[in-house]
Amino acid sequence: MSERALRGTRLGATSYETDRGIDLAPRQTVEYACVNGHRFEMPFSVEAEVPPQWECRACGAEALLVDGDGPEEKKTKPARTHWDMLMERRTREELEEVLAERLAILRSGGINLAVHPRDNRKSA
C-alpha cells in the first residue's frame, strides 16, 4: 500500500487543514432583533454592506438591525388611471375638439339614440 494513503478515514469525514498562517479578513459583529424578542449576532466583513434585515435564527421571522436604520421603503408607482393613459396620447385641446365633434353629431341627429345597435330586445 502507498505511504500517502490515509487509513481509517472516510471521504469528507474530517479536514486535515489547519488555520495556522492564514490571515482572516477583519470582521465586525452586528446584532439583530426579531419581533418575537429573539436577539442574535451575525459576523460580517468590515468591508461588507450590512443588510438592515435578516431572517431570525430561532423562528424565521424578519429581524431588524439593532441601532440601525430600518429597511428602505420600496418605490412604488402610483396606479395609472384611464385619464392618465388618455392624457399620454392626446392633449387637452385635442380632447376638446373630439368632444365638440361628437356633441355636434349627437345634436344634429346623426346618431339615433332611441335604437341602440346592440339592443336585441324586442319591443312589446
Side-chain angles (χ1 to χ4, degrees):
M1 213 175 191
S2 171
E3 291 180 21
R4 285 188 259 153
L6 297 174
R7 290 184 173 177
T9 60
R10 292 179 296 168
L11 182 64
T14 56
S15 172
Y16 294 104
E17 293 184 19
T18 63
D19 291 339
R20 277 185 271 147
I22 297 175
D23 292 330
L24 298 175
R27 305 218 181 265
Q28 62 179 332
T29 303
V30 179
E31 188 176 10
Y32 288 94
C34 81
V35 293
N36 296 326
H38 303 119
R39 294 177 83 92
F40 59 95
E41 293 180 345
M42 294 294 298
F44 288 96
S45 169
V46 174
E47 299 170 357
E49 183 178 330
V50 177
Q53 58 194 22
W54 198 267
E55 184 178 320
C56 178
R57 289 179 166 178
C59 63
E62 182 179 286
L64 298 176
L65 185 64
V66 175
D67 297 331
D69 296 333
E72 293 180 10
E73 293 293 325
K74 294 181 181 176
K75 294 180 182 178
T76 56
K77 293 182 180 179
R80 284 178 52 199
T81 64
H82 289 75
W83 179 253
D84 295 332
M85 290 184 263
L86 181 64
M87 293 306 290
E88 288 174 5
R89 295 189 311 266
R90 307 253 179 155
T91 64
R92 193 165 194 98
E93 291 79 25
E94 290 173 331
L95 291 173
E96 287 176 3
E97 274 182 44
V98 171
L99 177 63
E101 290 173 9
R102 294 295 159 192
L103 286 174
I105 292 171
L106 282 173
R107 289 180 181 137
S108 69
I111 297 176
N112 188 358
L113 292 178
V115 179
H116 193 275
R118 285 190 248 158
D119 193 4
N120 294 329
R121 293 176 285 168
K122 294 183 180 180
S123 54

